[in-house]
Amino acid sequence: MKYCPNCAATITVKIPADDSRERHVCEACGSIHYQNPRNVVGSIPIYGDKVLLCRRAIEPRHGFWTLPAGFMELGESTSDGAARETFEEAGAVVDIGPLYSLLNVPHAEQVHLFYLATMKTPNFSAGEESLEVALFDEQDIPWNDLAFPTVKQTLEWFFADRASGALNSEFHVRSRDVLRTEKI
Amino acid sequence: MKYCPNCAATITVKIPADDSRERHVCEACGSIHYQNPRNVVGSIPIYGDKVLLCRRAIEPRHGFWTLPAGFMELGESTSDGAARETFEEAGAVVDIGPLYSLLNVPHAEQVHLFYLATMKTPNFSAGEESLEVALFDEQDIPWNDLAFPTVKQTLEWFFADRASGALNSEFHVRSRDVLRTEKI
Ligand SMILES: [Zn+2]
Ligand SMILES: [Zn+2]
């Protein structure tokens, strides 16, 4: 941020009087422009024993597989955003269940939230941001061609919890921080 | 947003070619300035049978009681943010436990996340944003003087779950959307 979005004056980066962190401050109009992490909301769409994945038609990670997910929009809830992204990217209508995973990605200034989701029918289709969409059995998951560490970790947790029976009762949200150095 | 933070040109509100929502677009430099909900992260600081609350020294809701919470900062995780806010507002060092509640507040463009937290010692003190800080037994909670619906709902869930024993095992995150019309 170089210019004030309110008045177009040049922004100063400084610690405001009653603060402890550097902020983007406009000394012309007095506004402070805070910056905060963004939420990426998505789902684990389940049909029977299979999970629905999308192959990305956009950068970053064009051509790699992901769970349907995207930035949460103003005016919607986390679960509504997860359902919307699932429909937009994978053409699938889902019943959103409990929050399953929360992964912090501080270096990307993001928080990733994935909900368990049940597909009502085996209907799906590639949205504009997907090259293809497919249902996968656990043994067919393209582990080496996944798009993001948060997707890989969420799928690893999911299959382990499904095997142990943990998904059949209440569970704590699976959560950890993703390091900048993590690769798929 | 009236002016482009990158180039100071006047912003146009329009639906970009590959999008379905109105965005803040700069036709001079081509940038699109997305707006997303912000996370408010906090804790339920527990010492024995008591919960720590802060009385707000700032607006909104000056003078009303709240759980320690505030906006998540860039570069931190949700749980680190919850611990930081608990120390800044209540002077309490806590061990952060599992995520307990997630409340969407779409009309405020916020998501509120509260973690269970254990106070290591009964030490606390009012930070700059608090008039006073105190440990409360359930029967002494100032229900009519709470600052926000998300705090009230989180405390209601917490005491119900503690009474039922649900806190002693794994649990789904308690979650709902808060309506614009909700009052304390
Ligand atoms: Zn300004
Ligand atoms: Zn511009």
Side-chain angles (χ1 to χ4, degrees):
Chain A
M1 176 176 285
K2 294 181 199 166
Y3 303 99
C4 176
N6 293 346
C7 78
T10 300
I11 286 288
T12 305
V13 176
K14 60 181 268 192
I15 302 176
D18 55 352
D19 205 332
S20 57
R21 289 166 190 258
E22 286 193 335
R23 307 287 182 189
H24 291 81
V25 176
C26 176
E27 305 200 271
C29 76
S31 52
I32 302 174
H33 303 285
Y34 295 96
Q35 297 187 304
N36 302 91
R38 295 196 291 171
N39 290 334
V40 171
V41 290
S43 80
I44 308 165
I46 301 159
Y47 188 75
D49 286 340
K50 298 173 194 283
V51 171
L52 194 68
L53 298 180
C54 311
R55 200 154 73 85
R56 287 171 64 81
I58 54 171
E59 294 294 346
R61 303 294 282 164
H62 183 285
F64 290 83
W65 291 91
T66 187
L67 291 164
F71 288 109
M72 185 183 179
E73 299 277 6
L74 294 184
E76 72 184 2
S77 68
T78 45
S79 52
D80 287 349
R84 175 185 53 74
E85 290 287 347
T86 305
F87 184 72
E88 287 180 2
E89 297 189 350
V93 175
V94 290
D95 283 330
I96 294 289
L99 181 63
Y100 180 69
S101 65
L102 185 160
L103 295 118
N104 284 283
V105 194
H107 60 275
E109 304 174 352
Q110 294 174 2
V111 181
H112 291 204
L113 300 142
F114 290 97
Y115 283 84
L116 293 183
T118 305
M119 293 171 66
K120 297 172 175 175
T121 67
N123 297 328
F124 53 85
S125 59
E128 288 189 5
E129 298 185 358
S130 303
L131 296 170
E132 58 179 315
V133 178
L135 284 167
F136 287 89
D137 282 315
E138 180 178 0
Q139 64 266 27
D140 299 324
I141 295 283
W143 291 107
N144 295 317
D145 294 314
L146 294 177
F148 304 111
T150 57
V151 170
K152 184 180 184 189
Q153 177 64 83
T154 294
L155 289 170
E156 287 172 348
W157 280 330
F158 171 77
F159 289 116
D161 281 340
R162 191 173 73 173
S164 75
L167 296 184
N168 297 326
S169 57
E170 303 229 356
F171 50 80
H172 288 155
V173 164
R174 306 316 182 196
S175 189
R176 74 172 176 90
D177 299 351
V178 173
L179 303 177
R180 186 187 295 270
T181 51
E182 283 187 59
K183 305 292 179 209
I184 289 293
Chain B
M1 176 176 287
K2 295 182 197 165
Y3 302 100
C4 176
N6 294 346
C7 80
T10 300
I11 286 289
T12 304
V13 176
K14 59 181 269 193
I15 302 176
D18 55 350
D19 205 334
S20 59
R21 289 167 190 258
E22 286 194 335
R23 307 289 181 188
H24 291 82
V25 175
C26 176
E27 304 201 271
C29 75
S31 53
I32 303 174
H33 303 285
Y34 296 95
Q35 297 187 304
N36 303 90
R38 295 197 290 173
N39 290 334
V40 170
V41 290
S43 80
I44 309 165
I46 302 158
Y47 189 76
D49 287 341
K50 297 174 193 283
V51 171
L52 194 67
L53 300 179
C54 310
R55 200 154 73 87
R56 288 172 63 83
I58 54 172
E59 294 295 345
R61 304 293 283 163
H62 182 286
F64 290 84
W65 291 90
T66 186
L67 291 164
F71 288 109
M72 185 184 179
E73 298 278 6
L74 294 185
E76 72 183 2
S77 68
T78 44
S79 51
D80 287 349
R84 176 184 53 73
E85 289 287 347
T86 306
F87 185 72
E88 287 180 3
E89 297 188 352
V93 175
V94 289
D95 283 331
I96 295 289
L99 181 63
Y100 180 68
S101 65
L102 184 160
L103 295 119
N104 284 283
V105 194
H107 60 274
E109 304 175 353
Q110 294 174 1
V111 181
H112 291 202
L113 300 143
F114 290 97
Y115 283 84
L116 293 184
T118 306
M119 293 172 66
K120 296 171 175 177
T121 66
N123 297 329
F124 53 84
S125 59
E128 288 189 5
E129 298 185 358
S130 303
L131 295 171
E132 59 179 314
V133 179
L135 284 167
F136 287 88
D137 282 314
E138 180 178 357
Q139 65 268 25
D140 299 324
I141 295 283
W143 292 106
N144 295 319
D145 293 314
L146 294 177
F148 305 111
T150 58
V151 169
K152 184 180 184 188
Q153 176 65 81
T154 293
L155 289 170
E156 287 173 348
W157 279 330
F158 170 79
F159 289 116
D161 281 340
R162 190 172 74 174
S164 74
L167 295 184
N168 296 326
S169 56
E170 302 227 358
F171 50 79
H172 288 154
V173 163
R174 307 315 184 197
S175 189
R176 75 172 176 90
D177 299 351
V178 173
L179 303 177
R180 186 187 295 271
T181 50
E182 283 186 59
K183 305 290 180 212
I184 291 291

